[in-house]
Amino acid sequence: MRSTGLLRRMTGGRKHLATRIIEAAAARGDKPPTVIQAFAARRPVVLALWASTPIGIIMALAARSYVATARGALFVLANWVLVACVFALSAYAERSRQRRTGSHRGERP
């Protein structure tokens, strides 16, 4: 493994630990995806809606008095959409990771 600038500056035990962490992270890409990871890669929008809806409900309940106005309701809705986008983007990242590593579920080695 080629040493990066950060590893060159480290000493002894820390360098060994950092190398083990990097190699372990690289080895995780070789494992087949779990059922949840495969679902997220196949249906990113559905995952975003399912995962963000309870969070949006909790946000609306927490900001009950603030939601009484149209401006407050739009604020809570915008936050819910932001949370949904975060979940969708992470699912799309998982899809690209699976394509990059070739570790789709159902693919035969």
Side-chain angles (χ1 to χ4, degrees):
M1 186 171 135
R2 197 173 136 233
S3 177
T4 63
L6 178 66
L7 290 176
R8 280 189 213 129
R9 285 183 244 133
M10 289 184 172
T11 57
R14 287 190 180 132
K15 184 175 181 179
H16 181 66
L17 177 65
T19 305
R20 283 190 2 228
I21 290 171
I22 291 169
E23 288 174 353
R28 269 187 251 130
D30 297 338
K31 295 180 182 177
T34 64
V35 175
I36 296 171
Q37 288 172 329
F39 177 83
R42 273 186 266 127
R43 299 175 190 91
V45 175
V46 172
L47 173 84
L49 291 175
W50 282 2
S52 67
T53 298
I55 296 171
I57 292 170
I58 290 170
M59 281 192 296
L61 291 174
R64 241 182 327 218
S65 62
Y66 192 62
V67 178
T69 64
R71 190 175 179 185
L74 284 175
F75 179 74
V76 171
L77 182 66
N79 281 313
W80 174 73
V81 169
L82 181 66
V83 169
C85 287
V86 168
F87 278 109
L89 287 174
S90 65
Y92 280 118
E94 176 61 26
R95 177 187 284 185
S96 72
R97 184 196 70 83
Q98 288 181 17
R99 282 185 183 159
R100 188 177 60 249
T101 61
S103 61
H104 300 74
R105 271 213 178 254
E107 183 178 285
R108 294 184 182 151

